[in-house]
Short mmCIF file of all heavy atoms in Angstrom, two decimals:
data_model
loop_
_atom_site.label_atom_id
_atom_site.label_comp_id
_atom_site.label_asym_id
_atom_site.label_seq_id
_atom_site.Cartn_x
_atom_site.Cartn_y
_atom_site.Cartn_z
N ALA A 17 6.90 -55.20 37.40
CA ALA A 17 8.04 -56.06 37.65
C ALA A 17 9.00 -55.35 38.61
O ALA A 17 9.23 -54.15 38.48
CB ALA A 17 8.76 -56.41 36.35
N ALA A 18 9.55 -56.09 39.54
CA ALA A 18 10.52 -55.55 40.49
C ALA A 18 11.58 -56.62 40.74
O ALA A 18 11.55 -57.70 40.15
CB ALA A 18 9.83 -55.13 41.78
N GLU A 19 12.52 -56.31 41.63
CA GLU A 19 13.60 -57.26 41.88
C GLU A 19 13.09 -58.54 42.52
O GLU A 19 13.65 -59.61 42.30
CB GLU A 19 14.67 -56.61 42.77
CG GLU A 19 15.19 -55.26 42.28
CD GLU A 19 15.73 -55.31 40.87
OE1 GLU A 19 16.28 -56.35 40.46
OE2 GLU A 19 15.60 -54.29 40.15
N THR A 20 12.01 -58.42 43.29
CA THR A 20 11.40 -59.60 43.92
C THR A 20 9.89 -59.51 43.79
O THR A 20 9.33 -58.41 43.65
CB THR A 20 11.75 -59.70 45.41
OG1 THR A 20 11.15 -58.60 46.10
CG2 THR A 20 13.27 -59.67 45.62
N PRO A 21 9.18 -60.64 43.87
CA PRO A 21 7.72 -60.58 43.85
C PRO A 21 7.15 -59.77 45.00
O PRO A 21 6.13 -59.08 44.84
CB PRO A 21 7.31 -62.06 43.95
CG PRO A 21 8.47 -62.81 43.39
CD PRO A 21 9.68 -62.03 43.80
N GLU A 22 7.79 -59.84 46.15
CA GLU A 22 7.31 -59.10 47.33
C GLU A 22 7.40 -57.59 47.09
O GLU A 22 6.50 -56.84 47.47
CB GLU A 22 8.12 -59.49 48.57
CG GLU A 22 7.93 -60.92 49.03
CD GLU A 22 8.68 -61.93 48.17
OE1 GLU A 22 9.61 -61.52 47.41
OE2 GLU A 22 8.36 -63.14 48.26
N GLN A 23 8.49 -57.16 46.46
CA GLN A 23 8.63 -55.74 46.16
C GLN A 23 7.60 -55.29 45.14
O GLN A 23 7.03 -54.20 45.25
CB GLN A 23 10.04 -55.45 45.65
CG GLN A 23 10.29 -54.01 45.22
CD GLN A 23 10.24 -53.00 46.36
OE1 GLN A 23 10.03 -53.37 47.52
NE2 GLN A 23 10.44 -51.74 46.04
N ALA A 24 7.31 -56.11 44.14
CA ALA A 24 6.30 -55.77 43.14
C ALA A 24 4.93 -55.60 43.80
O ALA A 24 4.19 -54.66 43.48
CB ALA A 24 6.24 -56.84 42.05
N LEU A 25 4.58 -56.50 44.71
CA LEU A 25 3.30 -56.41 45.41
C LEU A 25 3.25 -55.14 46.26
O LEU A 25 2.22 -54.45 46.30
CB LEU A 25 3.09 -57.64 46.28
CG LEU A 25 1.82 -57.68 47.12
CD1 LEU A 25 0.58 -57.59 46.23
CD2 LEU A 25 1.78 -58.95 47.97
N ARG A 26 4.34 -54.83 46.90
CA ARG A 26 4.39 -53.61 47.73
C ARG A 26 4.17 -52.37 46.87
O ARG A 26 3.41 -51.46 47.25
CB ARG A 26 5.73 -53.54 48.45
CG ARG A 26 5.91 -52.34 49.37
CD ARG A 26 7.19 -52.45 50.17
NE ARG A 26 7.34 -51.34 51.11
CZ ARG A 26 7.98 -50.21 50.83
NH1 ARG A 26 8.55 -50.04 49.63
NH2 ARG A 26 8.06 -49.26 51.73
N LEU A 27 4.80 -52.32 45.71
CA LEU A 27 4.61 -51.17 44.81
C LEU A 27 3.19 -51.10 44.29
O LEU A 27 2.63 -50.01 44.13
CB LEU A 27 5.60 -51.27 43.64
CG LEU A 27 7.09 -51.20 43.98
CD1 LEU A 27 7.91 -51.41 42.71
CD2 LEU A 27 7.44 -49.87 44.63
N ALA A 28 2.59 -52.25 44.04
CA ALA A 28 1.25 -52.29 43.46
C ALA A 28 0.19 -51.75 44.40
O ALA A 28 -0.84 -51.23 43.95
CB ALA A 28 0.91 -53.72 43.05
N ARG A 29 0.41 -51.88 45.69
CA ARG A 29 -0.60 -51.42 46.65
C ARG A 29 -0.81 -49.91 46.57
O ARG A 29 -1.91 -49.42 46.87
CB ARG A 29 -0.20 -51.82 48.07
CG ARG A 29 -0.24 -53.33 48.32
CD ARG A 29 -0.15 -53.64 49.80
NE ARG A 29 -0.15 -55.06 50.06
CZ ARG A 29 0.93 -55.78 50.38
NH1 ARG A 29 2.11 -55.16 50.49
NH2 ARG A 29 0.85 -57.07 50.60
N SER A 30 0.20 -49.15 46.15
CA SER A 30 0.02 -47.70 46.00
C SER A 30 -1.03 -47.39 44.96
O SER A 30 -1.94 -46.57 45.17
CB SER A 30 1.35 -47.05 45.61
OG SER A 30 2.30 -47.14 46.64
N GLY A 31 -0.93 -48.04 43.80
CA GLY A 31 -1.93 -47.84 42.76
C GLY A 31 -3.29 -48.33 43.18
O GLY A 31 -4.32 -47.75 42.81
N GLY A 32 -3.33 -49.41 43.98
CA GLY A 32 -4.60 -49.93 44.47
C GLY A 32 -5.31 -48.94 45.36
O GLY A 32 -6.53 -48.73 45.24
N LEU A 33 -4.56 -48.31 46.28
CA LEU A 33 -5.17 -47.31 47.15
C LEU A 33 -5.61 -46.09 46.35
O LEU A 33 -6.67 -45.50 46.62
CB LEU A 33 -4.19 -46.89 48.25
CG LEU A 33 -4.66 -45.80 49.22
CD1 LEU A 33 -5.99 -46.16 49.87
CD2 LEU A 33 -3.59 -45.52 50.27
N SER A 34 -4.84 -45.73 45.33
CA SER A 34 -5.24 -44.61 44.47
C SER A 34 -6.56 -44.90 43.77
O SER A 34 -7.44 -44.03 43.70
CB SER A 34 -4.13 -44.34 43.44
OG SER A 34 -4.47 -43.25 42.61
N MET A 35 -6.72 -46.13 43.27
CA MET A 35 -7.97 -46.50 42.61
C MET A 35 -9.13 -46.52 43.60
O MET A 35 -10.25 -46.13 43.28
CB MET A 35 -7.82 -47.87 41.95
CG MET A 35 -6.95 -47.86 40.71
SD MET A 35 -7.59 -46.77 39.41
CE MET A 35 -9.18 -47.54 39.10
N LEU A 36 -8.87 -46.98 44.82
CA LEU A 36 -9.91 -46.99 45.85
C LEU A 36 -10.40 -45.58 46.12
O LEU A 36 -11.61 -45.33 46.20
CB LEU A 36 -9.36 -47.62 47.12
CG LEU A 36 -10.25 -47.58 48.36
CD1 LEU A 36 -11.55 -48.36 48.12
CD2 LEU A 36 -9.51 -48.14 49.58
N ARG A 37 -9.49 -44.64 46.26
CA ARG A 37 -9.88 -43.25 46.50
C ARG A 37 -10.65 -42.68 45.31
O ARG A 37 -11.61 -41.91 45.49
CB ARG A 37 -8.64 -42.43 46.79
CG ARG A 37 -8.02 -42.72 48.16
CD ARG A 37 -6.65 -42.08 48.30
NE ARG A 37 -6.20 -42.09 49.69
CZ ARG A 37 -4.95 -41.80 50.08
NH1 ARG A 37 -4.06 -41.47 49.16
NH2 ARG A 37 -4.63 -41.83 51.36
N LEU A 38 -10.25 -43.04 44.12
CA LEU A 38 -10.96 -42.56 42.93
C LEU A 38 -12.39 -43.08 42.93
O LEU A 38 -13.34 -42.32 42.66
CB LEU A 38 -10.22 -43.02 41.68
CG LEU A 38 -10.85 -42.63 40.34
CD1 LEU A 38 -10.88 -41.12 40.17
CD2 LEU A 38 -10.08 -43.28 39.19
N ARG A 39 -12.57 -44.35 43.23
CA ARG A 39 -13.92 -44.94 43.26
C ARG A 39 -14.78 -44.31 44.34
O ARG A 39 -16.01 -44.24 44.20
CB ARG A 39 -13.82 -46.44 43.47
CG ARG A 39 -13.19 -47.20 42.32
CD ARG A 39 -14.07 -47.18 41.09
NE ARG A 39 -13.45 -47.89 39.97
CZ ARG A 39 -13.57 -49.17 39.74
NH1 ARG A 39 -14.29 -49.92 40.55
NH2 ARG A 39 -12.99 -49.72 38.70
N ARG A 40 -14.17 -43.86 45.42
CA ARG A 40 -14.93 -43.22 46.50
C ARG A 40 -15.20 -41.75 46.22
O ARG A 40 -15.84 -41.06 47.01
CB ARG A 40 -14.14 -43.33 47.81
CG ARG A 40 -14.18 -44.71 48.43
CD ARG A 40 -13.24 -44.84 49.61
NE ARG A 40 -12.99 -43.58 50.29
CZ ARG A 40 -12.03 -43.41 51.19
NH1 ARG A 40 -11.24 -44.40 51.50
NH2 ARG A 40 -11.88 -42.25 51.78
N GLY A 41 -14.69 -41.23 45.10
CA GLY A 41 -14.91 -39.83 44.77
C GLY A 41 -13.97 -38.87 45.46
O GLY A 41 -14.25 -37.68 45.55
N THR A 42 -12.84 -39.39 45.96
CA THR A 42 -11.85 -38.54 46.63
C THR A 42 -10.48 -38.76 45.99
O THR A 42 -9.53 -39.22 46.65
CB THR A 42 -11.78 -38.85 48.13
OG1 THR A 42 -11.49 -40.26 48.31
CG2 THR A 42 -13.08 -38.50 48.82
N PRO A 43 -10.33 -38.47 44.69
CA PRO A 43 -9.06 -38.74 44.01
C PRO A 43 -7.92 -37.90 44.58
O PRO A 43 -8.11 -36.73 44.94
CB PRO A 43 -9.36 -38.38 42.56
CG PRO A 43 -10.46 -37.37 42.64
CD PRO A 43 -11.31 -37.81 43.80
N GLN A 44 -6.75 -38.51 44.65
CA GLN A 44 -5.54 -37.86 45.14
C GLN A 44 -4.35 -38.37 44.33
O GLN A 44 -4.47 -39.37 43.63
CB GLN A 44 -5.32 -38.18 46.63
CG GLN A 44 -6.43 -37.72 47.56
CD GLN A 44 -6.16 -38.14 49.00
OE1 GLN A 44 -5.02 -38.18 49.45
NE2 GLN A 44 -7.24 -38.46 49.71
N PRO A 45 -3.21 -37.70 44.43
CA PRO A 45 -2.01 -38.27 43.82
C PRO A 45 -1.74 -39.68 44.37
O PRO A 45 -2.20 -40.04 45.46
CB PRO A 45 -0.91 -37.29 44.22
CG PRO A 45 -1.63 -36.00 44.43
CD PRO A 45 -2.96 -36.37 45.02
N ILE A 46 -0.98 -40.47 43.64
CA ILE A 46 -0.70 -41.84 44.05
C ILE A 46 0.10 -41.84 45.35
O ILE A 46 1.14 -41.19 45.45
CB ILE A 46 0.06 -42.59 42.95
CG1 ILE A 46 -0.81 -42.67 41.69
CG2 ILE A 46 0.45 -43.99 43.41
CD1 ILE A 46 -0.11 -43.29 40.52
N PRO A 47 -0.37 -42.56 46.37
CA PRO A 47 0.33 -42.55 47.66
C PRO A 47 1.63 -43.33 47.60
O PRO A 47 1.86 -44.15 46.69
CB PRO A 47 -0.68 -43.22 48.60
CG PRO A 47 -1.46 -44.13 47.71
CD PRO A 47 -1.57 -43.40 46.39
N THR A 48 2.47 -43.11 48.58
CA THR A 48 3.71 -43.87 48.68
C THR A 48 3.39 -45.30 49.13
O THR A 48 2.32 -45.57 49.69
CB THR A 48 4.64 -43.24 49.72
OG1 THR A 48 4.03 -43.32 51.01
CG2 THR A 48 4.94 -41.78 49.38
N PRO A 49 4.31 -46.23 48.92
CA PRO A 49 4.10 -47.59 49.43
C PRO A 49 3.89 -47.62 50.94
O PRO A 49 3.08 -48.42 51.44
CB PRO A 49 5.38 -48.32 49.03
CG PRO A 49 5.86 -47.59 47.81
CD PRO A 49 5.52 -46.15 48.06
#
């Protein structure tokens, strides 16, 4: 949850990229938005 739906989606993409890297076998700390 964020102040706006657009901000929530922007924040969510960081976790999405983190999961993508994990699935590729290259885990890293969660990236910035």
Side-chain angles (χ1 to χ4, degrees):
E19 308 305 328
T20 66
E22 294 77 17
Q23 176 66 1
L25 178 59
R26 182 173 183 268
L27 296 176
R29 292 193 182 104
S30 293
L33 178 54
S34 181
M35 288 300 299
L36 173 62
R37 288 169 167 168
L38 179 63
R39 293 292 179 88
R40 285 172 27 192
T42 56
Q44 299 177 35
I46 297 176
T48 64

